[in-house]
Amino acid sequence: MKNSRLKLLSSPYIVWAVIFIIVPLGMVFYYGLTDKTGAFTLENVMAVMSEEHAKALWISLGLSLLSTAVCFFLAYPLAMILAHMNVNQHSFIVLIFILPMWMNFLLRTLAWQTLLEKTGAINNLLSFFHLPPLNIINTPYAIVLGMVYNFLPFMVLPIYNALVKIDPNVVNAAKDLGANPIQTFFKITLPLSIPGIISGITMVFIPALTTFVISKLLGGSKILLIGNVIEEEFTQAGNWHLGSGLSIVLMIFILINMAASAIFDKDGEGGLL
Amino acid sequence: MIKTTAKKIYIVLIFIFLYAPIATLMVFSFNKSRTRAKWGGFTFQWYLSLLGNREIMQALWNTLFIALVSSLSAVVIGTVACIAINNMNKRRRAVILGITNIPMLNADIVTGISLMLLFISLGFKFGLGTILLSHITFNIPYVILCVMPRMKQLNPSTYEAALDLGASPVLAFFKVVFPDILPGVLSGFLMAFTMSLDDFIITHFTKGAGVDTLSTKIYTEVKKGIKPEMYALSTIIFVTVLLLLFLVNKAPKEKNERRI
Amino acid sequence: MNKELINLVDISKAFDGETVLDELNLNIHENEFLTLLGPSGCGKTTTLRILGGFATPDKGSVIFDGKDITNLPPNKRQLNTVFQKYALFSHMNIAENIAFGLKIKNKPKTYIDDKIKYALKLVNLEGFEKRMPDSLSGGQQQRIAIARAIVNEPKVLLLDEPLGALDLKLRQDMQYELIRLKNELGITFIYVTHDQEEALTMSDTIVVMNQGYIQQIGTPETIYNEPENAFVADFIGDSNIIDAIMLEDRLVSILDTRFHCVDTGFGRNQPVDVVIRPEDVELTAPEDGILKGTVTHLIFKGVHYEMEVTANGFEWLVHSTGMFPVGTEVGIKVDPFNIQIMNKPASEDEEAAGIEE
């Protein structure tokens, strides 16, 4: 199919991508870097330094890093167990993690409100076992839980895919050369799964950093994340310049993350699918 | 043996974690009491009143319409783009795929507001049309992600053989290439449909007043309290998908391993 | 023969209820090049995995140097494996790959560096220390896999179809390379392959396996010239396997024609299988042969002509430097030394079991 005319087939998509991906991003940059008169300014970007916005950014960073870490430590053992199960179940495993998406994401997150309430199902269960109650609703921990719940599949699947790709004989070779199970894990399995880990971290960290829904649903209205600030600038305060400026700050973090993953995953091997 | 038991327990715990909220929502849908907190007895009434709830039904049709049209459009544009991308040299391919990755890697909130700014400056009327354009935009990358690997595995000789045997390029594509990439196209469609259905953030910024999908409807209801009919509807959707998947799995399986 | 190093005693192994190895017994000597040869599914790879410690037998034991190592994990065994498709660590460069086992054992750095140099020299890849595995050709990766194993100074090197992924020419070069390596290192090689030519070229001892049973153990010459049953005869090289009746000692009736042979002790009028290698069939003028036949196919193979001759209802495969066109009437003669008589198996199961004891 090496036909140069075939390249023309890409033009609808290229036109689409320019209009709906490149130009809109350009507009975010335009609004973010100008004031209401249209003059260039860094004020909107620097606004992140203000006490209120800096606090929102720090909380967002803290909570999203924490949930990324929790996701990683929950997902890695799970992915390893799944990878060692029957080989022919690949699509089944993927399905099980995608299936919850067919229940609306907002409703699923809301359900945690009920589960976490003082007299909710979880606390009833805890008191049945005479354990201390869990009062995390409307706290940052509830937000972390919501993030972990929503984004865990995006950590499990890339790591699972990376682990499945490892030739079992490579692991056997390490054992054969004298490595005990712990050495084999840290010297072979873990390094070889790095592409999956990196893409898992990206896929959890970015949505967690930028969410405004989970914090609204589970954090009470007390905790403002950077996503909430931006959303309010657009839907309520109406200061698009400030909202765009803060979005540019968000994109800087996203770019840092993407650059890091490009270094670790040169071949683009890690993937959700 | 202790090890395998521990592993099983771990898997079960994770699945309880993933599916507990879903089970909770299903229980709500049978709850006579209008508030979430209390159990008022078992009832089917929300399933019946659901049909009469015009707002929810309208949101449902909007959601399904957008999901279907946007994923179909994305499949067409994305698949055609894949054919072209596959024939590009490395540099061009890297640039295009890089751009394709932007909506997937970028934060939904940034994609949402960027599209909102675009539509405002173009003077578009916010409504179903703008939601549709946005959904097509974020769906195309998923289609390309699913179709591209299939495309790479294609043996170019089969297409040439079809030409050699007298098929026109278009006929050759549909007879020889398309069946090979079909699994990728299908999973791309499914993925796009799912993503569109589950999207809230981008729709939130690109919808107009008065037009709602299920997600945005739920979001506005959060403060007032979710209508129990919503739980009933979600339960129906989820169970339907579950049954469909079950049927598909029961059907004779394709021999070569299909990657969703 | 050197002293025994490994004894496999009554090894049985089943996967999902399917028996892969059935009471296998095998003794392996020091400094021996032993090849496990057989079709896929014959149990040769399972045997190797049991030796390497990657599989545990359901029954039986593995004795290494007098010690039972049946349940010893692979990292504690004094053997190293060269894996199918090499299994190099793709995230480490060549030097790190080779150093892996030595670093695990906390060897000093100078020792490790010397070993890397020595091993790379041994496999003719000096100066490759900093290269990554992906940048090497299949043959080079194979050499690295061998280097990575031998720096650990194992007493036994296990090789699992190591040349399977290489092309023909390279495979032949590597065969000589492996023989040279084995002689230089003076250790035992246990080699798994389904390629009979590879086995005949390199081995001191060949173990022919089928369906979990050992069919025959012997030197390449014995295996080729004196196959003990039809399976071995069929698997090793081309052969004519014919139903026959042993009339008495040194006299066999093949296709209702009396042939002299050298075998004794089969009894009188006993049904047997007869193996005659194609190169041992002599074609003569029709009146000079024991059997008369007609040439039905003729192909030029380079070294010889390959012909099919129909005689008494049997298609004889013949390799000969002389050429007889299709349709020629010929006579068939076989030297008594070249007729190999084998007992007929009573049932299919027994055919698989062969004459294991």
Side-chain angles (χ1 to χ4, degrees), chain B residues 144-188:
Chain B
I144 293 183
L145 186 79
C146 293
V147 177
M148 212 52 208
R150 281 272 162 184
M151 213 71 172
K152 275 190 198 156
Q153 287 168 17
L154 264 187
N155 178 359
S157 308
T158 55
Y159 174 75
E160 282 163 9
L163 293 183
D164 182 70
L165 295 168
S168 70
V170 175
L171 187 72
F173 172 78
F174 279 103
K175 287 273 175 198
V176 179
V177 178
F178 193 67
D180 269 1
I181 60 170
L182 187 61
V185 173
L186 282 179
S187 47

Side-chain angles (χ1 to χ4, degrees), chain C residues 285-325:
Chain C
E287 59 277 11
D288 295 338
I290 306 171
L291 266 172
K292 281 193 184 63
T294 315
V295 179
T296 49
H297 284 282
L298 170 72
I299 302 167
F300 178 56
K301 289 282 223 182
V303 187
H304 58 251
Y305 291 94
E306 183 174 296
M307 282 166 281
E308 272 175 36
V309 177
T310 308
N312 281 17
F314 184 82
E315 298 240 313
W316 293 71
L317 186 69
V318 183
H319 291 170
S320 165
T321 46
M323 193 266 275
F324 297 84

Side-chain angles (χ1 to χ4, degrees), chain B residues 6 10 16 27 62 73 92 116 132 142 157-159 168-169 221:
Chain B
Y10 189 70
I16 291 176
V27 172
N62 286 346
S73 316
R92 283 182 62 126
M116 171 182 157
L132 204 54
Y142 289 104
S157 308
T158 55
Y159 174 75
S168 70
E221 277 181 11

Side-chain angles (χ1 to χ4, degrees), chain A residues 1 9-10 13 16 27 74 94 96 99 101-102 104-107 112-114 149 216 231 240 247 273, chain B residues 10 15 18-19 28 36 80 84 87 100 113 120-121 136-137 145 159 194 198 204 215 219 234 241 260:
Chain A
M1 284 212 290
L9 287 175
S10 66
Y13 174 59
W16 190 284
M27 299 193 66
L74 284 179
V94 173
I96 275 188
L99 196 59
M101 285 189 197
W102 286 80
N104 189 282
F105 140 69
L106 295 160
L107 287 181
W112 278 108
Q113 259 189 13
T114 319
Y149 171 71
K216 209 158 198 166
E231 195 251 352
W240 298 351
S247 301
L273 303 168
Chain B
Y10 189 70
F15 282 114
L18 283 179
Y19 284 87
F28 289 164
R36 280 186 290 115
V80 170
N87 283 287
T100 303
I113 58 172
I120 288 173
S121 60
I136 295 173
T137 303
L145 186 79
Y159 174 75
T194 310
D198 201 44
H204 178 65
S215 291
Y219 191 69
S234 304
V241 172
I260 212 192

Side-chain angles (χ1 to χ4, degrees), chain C residues 155-168:
Chain C
K155 288 197 176 165
V156 178
L157 192 64
L158 308 175
L159 301 106
D160 186 6
E161 307 229 11
L163 309 184
L166 305 180
D167 59 43
L168 181 66

Side-chain angles (χ1 to χ4, degrees), chain B residues 242-255:
Chain B
L242 206 63
L243 284 177
L244 279 177
L245 283 175
F246 187 72
L247 286 177
V248 169
N249 266 327
K250 277 270 163 184
K253 272 200 179 147
E254 195 187 16
K255 259 206 175 148

Side-chain angles (χ1 to χ4, degrees), chain B residues 61-241:
Chain B
W61 293 132
N62 286 346
T63 307
L64 291 178
F65 173 79
I66 289 163
L68 191 68
V69 175
S70 73
S71 47
L72 280 178
S73 316
V75 161
V76 173
I77 300 174
T79 308
V80 170
C82 277
I83 300 170
I85 294 169
N86 201 33
N87 283 287
M88 288 177 179
N89 59 33
K90 262 197 167 159
R91 272 184 74 96
R92 283 182 62 126
R93 184 191 297 209
V95 171
I96 300 251
L97 289 180
I99 294 172
T100 303
N101 275 334
I102 292 177
M104 272 198 301
L105 293 174
N106 204 347
D108 281 353
I109 185 172
V110 178
T111 308
I113 58 172
S114 73
L115 285 164
M116 171 182 157
L117 290 175
L118 175 83
F119 295 141
I120 288 173
S121 60
L122 290 177
F124 281 14
K125 192 174 164 296
F126 278 68
L128 273 187
T130 46
I131 302 177
L132 204 54
L133 288 173
S134 316
H135 279 228
I136 295 173
T137 303
F138 75 73
N139 274 341
I140 294 174
Y142 289 104
V143 174
I144 293 183
L145 186 79
C146 293
V147 177
M148 212 52 208
R150 281 272 162 184
M151 213 71 172
K152 275 190 198 156
Q153 287 168 17
L154 264 187
N155 178 359
S157 308
T158 55
Y159 174 75
E160 282 163 9
L163 293 183
D164 182 70
L165 295 168
S168 70
V170 175
L171 187 72
F173 172 78
F174 279 103
K175 287 273 175 198
V176 179
V177 178
F178 193 67
D180 269 1
I181 60 170
L182 187 61
V185 173
L186 282 179
S187 47
F189 171 77
L190 253 171
M191 193 82 186
F193 193 86
T194 310
M195 289 299 163
S196 171
L197 206 73
D198 201 44
D199 176 70
F200 163 71
I201 296 175
I202 293 171
T203 315
H204 178 65
F205 288 104
T206 54
K207 83 182 184 85
V211 181
D212 265 317
T213 64
L214 286 175
S215 291
T216 59
K217 185 104 193 94
I218 293 165
Y219 191 69
T220 48
E221 277 181 11
V222 166
K223 283 163 217 142
K224 301 178 270 176
I226 307 278
K227 293 203 176 70
E229 287 91 339
M230 205 54 114
Y231 301 129
L233 177 62
S234 304
T235 305
I236 292 174
I237 295 177
F238 188 80
V239 170
T240 311
V241 172

